Amino acid sequence: MELSLTTRSIGAHTVLEVGGEVDVYTATRLRERLVELIDGGARRLVVDLGRVDFLDSTGLGVLIGALKRLRTVNGTLALVCDKESLLKIFRITALDQVFPIHPTIDAATAADSSGSGA
């Protein structure tokens, strides 16, 4: 399956909507887009995984790399995910303790605005 990446702004937040499969074959595109957004000035980033069907360790590594990059510029990264199959991956790897994970974009932007971001 192809990877789709769509970006939009909600207030001070940049929302990257990801769709399809994030794996060893597509993760480079995701990494390049995240770097482009951060280098372009995005500091409050929300990655919406709502349309992601599959996420492997390469994809997790890309998200961790983006979080580290944002932290060096005092930015935040929140994830939007309500799919149990993906949430299980974050729990098993304990990355649910690293990333703020919200069920909706509205919840992610509201939580980050109140100062509880990554």
Side-chain angles (χ1 to χ4, degrees):
M1 177 178 263
E2 188 62 32
L3 179 72
S4 67
L5 302 171
T6 307
T7 307
R8 63 186 170 119
S9 295
I10 298 179
H13 297 85
T14 301
V15 178
L16 177 61
E17 296 175 354
V18 184
E21 296 182 356
V22 182
D23 58 22
V24 68
Y25 303 106
T26 61
T28 300
R29 282 189 50 220
L30 177 59
R31 179 183 295 112
E32 289 169 353
R33 185 66 181 130
L34 287 165
V35 168
E36 180 182 291
L37 290 170
I38 296 165
D39 288 352
R43 294 297 175 262
R44 289 183 169 184
L45 192 56
V46 175
V47 178
D48 180 1
L49 302 173
R51 294 184 305 123
V52 170
D53 301 314
F54 179 79
L55 178 70
D56 73 1
S57 60
T58 309
L60 291 175
V62 167
L63 294 173
I64 292 166
L67 177 62
K68 288 180 179 180
R69 183 178 286 262
L70 274 164
R71 284 184 173 169
T72 65
V73 294
N74 296 317
T76 62
L77 175 64
L79 303 178
V80 174
C81 182
D82 65 353
K83 287 187 179 178
E84 185 55 37
S85 59
L86 295 182
L87 292 169
K88 185 176 180 180
I89 294 168
F90 286 101
R91 284 193 298 269
I92 289 170
T93 58
L95 289 174
D96 62 334
Q97 303 300 309
V98 176
F99 292 102
I101 302 174
H102 304 278
T104 65
I105 291 172
D106 288 343
T109 58
D112 187 48
S113 294
S114 69
S116 64

